[in-house]
Amino acid sequence: MHNDEMLPETTQDEPTPRKKKSHTARNVLLGFLAVVLVVGAVSGFYLYNLANSFNTKTQKIEHAFPEESTRPTKPTLPNGGEAMNILVLGSDSRSAPVDTAEKGAPSDQRSDSMMLLHIPADRKNIFITSIMRDTWVDIPGHGSAKINAAMAFGGIPLVVQTVEGILDARIDHVAVIDFEGFKSMTDALGGVEVNVPIAFSDRGFDFAKGKQVLSGDKALVFVRERYAFADGDYQRVKNQQIFLKALLGKFLTTETLTDPAKISAVVDQVSPYVSVDETLDALAVGKLAVELRNVRTGDVKSFTLPNSGTGWSADGQSIVVADQSAIDALKKALKEDKVGDYLKAQGIAN
């Protein structure tokens, strides 16, 4: 299953529908990605104010990484450049806090929104690998389990160690985004226009077929809804893709990037919902933003960690079965900084 798919709601042992509570992977990622792309768009005293806002309002993850002896090394690339890998995790203000996880201790959270942001050395693309929360993997020290259990077993360091083990790729930074930041970001932009493919109504909102501007609250309903559609999650994934493209597209317009008030509002309102490792400060984000200044929506490629569909674990849990052969190819691509070539070989267009 190599389709471009979002992560559904958290489940424990069964795939049956639960409360409409979603940490949609790429929408959560966008809260971080947006800050990266806009902080480097301005300069001088104004940039200082943005940097100060980001540094003071974001929360720092004190212990984000596992013991150094357990980690893969950074590959040496022929051109002397260096790719970057950022692990982005979903959080929700309605869930248990991440305080204990930030210190590396077990918590009752599950990181069902999880994606690896790979930025190649030439900084011409951004590759987003969504990892489905029910993917059955080896969690160091705990045996086989769904990957979203790593947070509960050992906090953020164990999540990092697990993902690094799966992909044999070193993670440079970690960001945790609260889902409420996505809503605030939408409103800070004055709403986002989407082309609704299938009409539906939910939670007091009506979505007529065709173009309309969504506020933050309405956007959350648009990207979460699945029960209104005959094909459920499949249409929800399409809607999420539609909204993501529209949201990212609005960020990367001259209208937004030349509007200091709007950029300030985005950084100011999103930052409180972002937790980052201690090295990912405004200076690092600003540097990366400058490096990514020519990236546009068409340069952002997203796909799901390869899997072979669903199955059952030995103890009766419904799981997503990892496609190890395809994952091995992705490992090689990450190590050689050739993820674009990997996607072409796999026939993944997005």
Side-chain angles (χ1 to χ4, degrees), residues 216-254:
D217 287 329
K218 194 170 184 179
L220 287 180
V221 176
F222 181 70
V223 300
R224 284 173 167 171
E225 179 55 39
R226 64 173 175 168
Y227 300 108
F229 311 118
D231 55 359
D233 276 336
Y234 290 98
Q235 187 57 47
R236 180 174 65 168
V237 167
K238 293 175 185 176
N239 286 350
Q240 291 166 348
Q241 293 169 349
I242 289 169
F243 188 80
L244 175 71
K245 292 285 186 181
L247 184 59
L248 186 55
K250 187 158 186 177
F251 270 117
L252 300 177
T253 62
T254 302

Side-chain angles (χ1 to χ4, degrees), residues 57-315:
K57 293 187 176 182
T58 55
Q59 299 186 46
K60 299 302 182 244
I61 305 171
E62 295 179 4
H63 303 287
F65 300 102
E67 292 294 329
E68 184 62 32
S69 61
T70 69
R71 309 189 65 197
T73 58
K74 293 279 288 187
T76 301
L77 301 176
N79 60 6
E82 190 171 277
M84 180 181 292
N85 295 314
I86 304 173
L87 181 65
V88 182
L89 306 174
S91 176
D92 195 311
S93 55
R94 298 169 300 179
S95 301
V98 296
D99 292 353
T100 55
E102 288 173 357
K103 294 178 175 58
S107 75
D108 59 359
Q109 282 200 311
R110 289 189 174 231
S111 50
D112 58 300
S113 292
M114 186 182 304
M115 70 291 300
L116 182 73
L117 176 64
H118 176 76
I119 303 171
D122 63 14
R123 302 302 195 251
K124 292 182 179 179
N125 295 94
I126 298 172
F127 298 103
I128 304 167
T129 308
S130 298
I131 304 174
M132 297 186 72
R133 89 280 188 231
D134 285 345
T135 304
W136 196 250
V137 300
D138 179 64
I139 298 179
H142 297 272
S144 297
K146 295 179 182 180
I147 194 168
N148 70 335
M151 180 73 81
F153 288 151
I156 292 175
L158 185 58
V159 177
V160 172
Q161 186 178 0
T162 301
V163 174
E164 287 185 335
I166 295 169
L167 295 173
D168 193 25
R170 189 180 180 91
I171 292 171
D172 300 290
H173 296 294
V174 179
V176 181
I177 316 298
D178 190 298
F179 201 59
E180 285 297 309
F182 157 64
K183 184 177 78 170
S184 296
M185 183 168 47
T186 303
D187 286 332
L189 284 170
V192 174
E193 183 181 72
V194 300
N195 192 0
V196 178
I198 299 176
F200 70 96
S201 297
D202 185 50
R203 300 192 182 187
F205 292 109
D206 295 319
F207 297 84
K209 183 176 180 179
K211 293 182 178 180
Q212 58 185 282
V213 176
L214 305 184
S215 64
D217 287 329
K218 194 170 184 179
L220 287 180
V221 176
F222 181 70
V223 300
R224 284 173 167 171
E225 179 55 39
R226 64 173 175 168
Y227 300 108
F229 311 118
D231 55 359
D233 276 336
Y234 290 98
Q235 187 57 47
R236 180 174 65 168
V237 167
K238 293 175 185 176
N239 286 350
Q240 291 166 348
Q241 293 169 349
I242 289 169
F243 188 80
L244 175 71
K245 292 285 186 181
L247 184 59
L248 186 55
K250 187 158 186 177
F251 270 117
L252 300 177
T253 62
T254 302
E255 176 188 2
T256 297
L257 294 178
T258 58
D259 185 341
K262 187 169 289 187
I263 294 176
S264 289
V266 171
V267 175
D268 192 61
Q269 293 187 36
V270 173
S271 293
Y273 298 101
V274 179
S275 298
V276 294
D277 69 84
E278 294 181 310
T279 64
L280 192 57
D281 57 11
L283 180 62
V285 170
K287 180 177 182 293
L288 183 58
V290 171
E291 293 172 351
L292 294 173
R293 63 189 178 277
N294 295 321
V295 171
R296 294 296 180 263
T297 53
D299 303 316
V300 180
K301 310 296 181 181
S302 52
F303 61 102
T304 303
L305 184 74
N307 63 80
S308 304
T310 58
W312 298 93
S313 65
D315 59 356

Side-chain angles (χ1 to χ4, degrees), residues 7-10 21-25 28 90-92 95 112-113 179:
L7 299 182
E9 292 93 337
T10 303
K21 174 179 173 182
S22 172
H23 308 287
T24 50
V28 172
S91 176
D92 195 311
S95 301
D112 58 300
S113 292
F179 201 59

Side-chain angles (χ1 to χ4, degrees), residues 334-347:
L334 286 167
K335 194 173 292 293
E336 297 176 353
D337 197 22
K338 295 181 178 179
V339 176
D341 293 342
Y342 163 83
L343 293 181
K344 291 177 182 177
Q346 295 294 318

Side-chain angles (χ1 to χ4, degrees), residues 321-338:
V321 181
D323 183 343
Q324 196 56 55
S325 177
I327 290 176
D328 286 343
L330 177 57
K331 283 184 185 180
K332 186 173 185 290
L334 286 167
K335 194 173 292 293
E336 297 176 353
D337 197 22
K338 295 181 178 179

